[in-house]
Amino acid sequence: MNIGPYRFSPPWWGVLLFGVGALVFCSLGIWQIERAHYKARLLAAQTSAEAAAPADIVTLGDEAPVQGRTYYASGVFEADRQILLADQVHASQVGYRVWTPLRLDNGTRLLVDRGWVARSPADAGLPNPSAPSQRVRIEGVWHPLPAPALNWGGAQACDKAGWPRVLSYPKIADVRCQYDDGRVLDGLLLLDPKAPYGFVRDWADEKDRVGLRPFGHYAYASQWFLMALVAGVIFVVVNLRRR
């Protein structure tokens, strides 16, 4: 192809290499734009859930609780049936998150995340935080069971030997098998930081399910498209020769 005093004559393998590279860069840019749209929808849903009035979790029936929404519940804590989520760090100190089941009026258990406690010295055994024995009414934000950054797929033991039970990022099936009737709601109620009966509670990171905001994804998308443009400029310059 002649362009004025220049001739553009790339080899076939150069055209193929540029085509594959440009396709990859543009595909990644489009993917980032789709992620931005998804995060925008998540933000809208999160804002709507946070703005909604608190609801009684018992009245939901078979309807799943909405993540990020505030619910209240009444029942009795089962302090002798607590779960400790292992390897939780606060202020550079290792400890546990305390999940105490609240037996609701309909007989179902609601796991209440009462916050972080420090790990006891090796010779002191496991911490077993107390909970009120009388009927309580609590309020908190609904959240799914936490998941690790890397999941190796290890199943939790269901030997039902001794309480409290120490589990490492269990799935709901792992939680339910710890109890004889298995009636446990799939998720957690993050106890309100102002409420009594709790420990160290900083739910800012827990309640943020969006992560990188839409603007960040748009920025990444622009970088991928820019890389495709730069690759095109290099492709043209390298293969352009004066006649």
Side-chain angles (χ1 to χ4, degrees):
M1 179 192 304
N2 295 327
I3 306 175
Y6 297 94
R7 179 174 180 78
F8 180 65
S9 181
W12 67 266
W13 55 265
V15 176
L16 178 62
L17 184 62
F18 167 71
V20 171
L23 179 62
V24 170
F25 292 148
C26 291
S27 298
L28 289 172
I30 293 172
W31 174 70
Q32 286 292 344
I33 290 176
E34 292 174 347
R35 292 291 297 171
H37 293 167
Y38 170 70
K39 292 296 183 66
R41 293 193 297 271
L42 273 185
L43 277 173
Q46 180 173 289
T47 302
S48 176
E50 292 174 351
D56 187 348
I57 203 166
V58 175
T59 62
L60 294 178
D62 295 333
E63 181 183 352
V66 178
Q67 181 176 347
R69 185 174 182 180
T70 300
Y71 293 92
Y72 59 86
S74 299
V76 178
F77 278 123
E78 294 181 334
D80 59 341
R81 295 289 187 270
Q82 297 189 109
I83 291 175
L84 302 178
L85 182 64
D87 303 323
Q88 303 301 298
V89 179
H90 174 74
S92 301
Q93 187 176 3
V94 179
Y96 305 94
R97 293 260 294 276
V98 181
W99 294 355
T100 307
L102 181 74
R103 178 72 79 163
L104 303 176
D105 295 336
N106 60 7
T108 303
R109 287 181 176 88
L110 165 66
L111 283 181
V112 180
D113 192 331
R114 297 199 289 148
W116 178 90
V117 295
R119 186 166 58 186
S120 304
D123 57 350
L126 293 172
N128 193 13
S130 61
S133 58
Q134 72 275 17
R135 179 181 173 84
V136 296
R137 183 183 185 276
I138 62 171
E139 188 173 292
V141 174
W142 184 258
H143 195 274
L145 294 178
L150 292 176
N151 191 347
W152 301 105
Q156 306 291 322
C158 290
D159 52 11
K160 298 182 174 63
W163 293 95
R165 303 265 166 80
V166 178
L167 301 180
S168 179
Y169 293 103
K171 297 179 180 179
I172 187 57
D174 303 319
V175 172
R176 286 171 174 164
C177 75
Q178 309 299 323
Y179 302 96
D180 293 332
D181 57 11
R183 297 183 63 186
V184 184
L185 292 179
D186 186 1
L188 295 168
L189 194 70
L190 306 180
L191 186 63
D192 190 295
K194 299 178 182 178
Y197 329 126
F199 310 103
V200 178
R201 285 160 285 173
D202 182 7
W203 303 134
D205 292 337
E206 296 292 336
K207 292 191 290 185
D208 181 15
R209 61 192 177 108
V210 177
L212 185 65
R213 269 28 186 188
F215 176 80
H217 288 287
Y218 285 127
Y220 281 128
S222 64
Q223 291 177 3
W224 287 118
F225 289 132
L226 180 61
M227 291 178 68
L229 178 62
V230 170
V233 172
I234 294 175
F235 175 69
V236 171
V237 170
V238 169
N239 294 283
L240 201 60
R241 296 286 186 272
R242 183 179 290 276
R243 288 190 293 168

